[in-house]
Amino acid sequence: MMDRLIEIILHTDDALLALVADNVFNAYLLLFFIIMLETGLIFFPFLPGDGLLFSAGVVAASTNLNIWILLVILIIAAIIGNLLNFTAGKYLGEKLERSNNYFLKNYLMKSLPKAQKFYDKHGGRAIIIGRFFPIIRTYIPFLAGMVYMDRRLFLKNTILGAVLWIGLFLLTGFFVGEITWVKNNYGLIFLSLIIITTVPLVFSLLLRKNSNSN
């Protein structure tokens, strides 16, 4: 399983085609776990979420990978991942409150009011919009748990965000996957997706750094 995961990260389209040809059930299972891990554990922000969804859609257009089964499975994976992350954040937040550790009290706890202010201002929109940004989508639910966001508000926006995120990238890949130009320039498209979804985050961080220095 780990070998398959590494292969998909390094050679997404070819690895997916080989996996589907070998065992379509394993393809569903592995894609489910990749999406769940990327959104559910803060240790896996490097997993190829956007590109993987697009690739899965492209592969589904020309194989026996059923796009509608895949859509439902991956939406569920994204929801479960966020809930796991939220629960872990809430647990850690409770531990921090009871901890006497100097580092935790004087460094980590000081950052929580900023996170609280962010969620108070943006509410559920942060959960939805965060889905579309690599790295951020891994940490948004975790921090939401740490600042005790209302669980019903979190769940509602987690479901909506998962449907929009999975649906957009997966179905786009599926409906344009048979276009000749897309097939011939898949590597370029994959790289472009990474850049398009990462640049706004980098730009935002640079602006914030510049404003703080002034």
Side-chain angles (χ1 to χ4, degrees):
M1 183 70 77
M2 185 56 68
D3 291 341
R4 290 284 196 181
L5 176 59
I6 294 172
E7 187 67 20
I8 283 179
I9 293 173
L10 297 177
H11 308 288
T12 304
D13 52 336
D14 292 334
L16 274 178
L17 285 168
L19 182 60
V20 172
D22 181 51
N23 189 313
V24 70
F25 176 79
N26 285 344
Y28 289 127
L29 191 63
L30 187 58
L31 288 169
F32 175 91
F33 277 108
I34 291 176
I35 295 301
M36 188 182 73
L37 287 175
E38 196 219 6
T39 58
L41 294 177
I42 58 173
F43 308 109
F44 293 97
F46 57 85
L47 292 176
D50 303 330
L52 179 66
L53 292 173
F54 183 83
S55 296
V58 171
V59 170
S62 58
T63 67
N64 60 341
L65 197 65
N66 187 290
I67 188 65
W68 306 114
I69 293 176
L70 195 59
L71 180 67
V72 173
I73 287 174
L74 297 187
I75 287 174
I76 292 172
I79 293 170
I80 291 175
N82 260 24
L83 289 174
L84 288 174
N85 222 341
F86 178 83
T87 302
K90 187 174 181 180
Y91 173 77
L92 181 59
E94 293 170 350
K95 293 281 286 186
L96 285 176
E97 287 182 350
R98 298 193 299 266
S99 175
N100 293 318
N101 184 281
Y102 178 84
F103 172 76
L104 294 178
K105 286 292 186 181
N106 289 275
Y107 291 94
L108 293 182
M109 288 297 287
K110 286 183 178 179
S111 66
L112 290 185
K114 294 181 180 179
Q116 182 69 64
K117 185 178 179 181
F118 173 80
Y119 286 108
D120 288 343
K121 179 180 179 181
H122 298 286
R125 289 179 299 171
I127 306 299
I128 297 172
I129 297 172
R131 282 284 192 188
F132 294 88
F133 295 94
I135 302 176
I136 282 182
R137 66 172 156 261
T138 304
Y139 294 103
I140 282 281
F142 183 79
L143 289 173
M146 288 190 72
V147 300
Y148 304 108
M149 175 182 277
D150 179 74
R151 184 178 290 272
R152 286 183 297 179
L153 175 66
F154 177 81
L155 179 60
K156 180 182 72 173
N157 288 283
T158 282
I159 293 172
L160 180 57
V163 170
L164 293 174
W165 177 53
I166 300 292
L168 175 63
F169 285 99
L170 187 67
L171 295 179
T172 298
F174 179 75
F175 287 115
V176 306
E178 288 299 294
I179 298 174
T180 303
W181 185 88
V182 173
K183 290 182 177 180
N184 295 337
N185 295 275
Y186 178 78
L188 177 62
I189 295 172
F190 187 85
L191 180 61
S192 298
L193 280 175
I194 295 174
I195 294 173
I196 290 170
T197 54
T198 304
V199 165
L201 170 61
V202 175
F203 185 67
S204 176
L205 291 174
L206 290 174
L207 283 178
R208 180 172 297 182
K209 182 179 179 181
N210 184 56
S211 63
N212 289 338
S213 63
N214 293 334

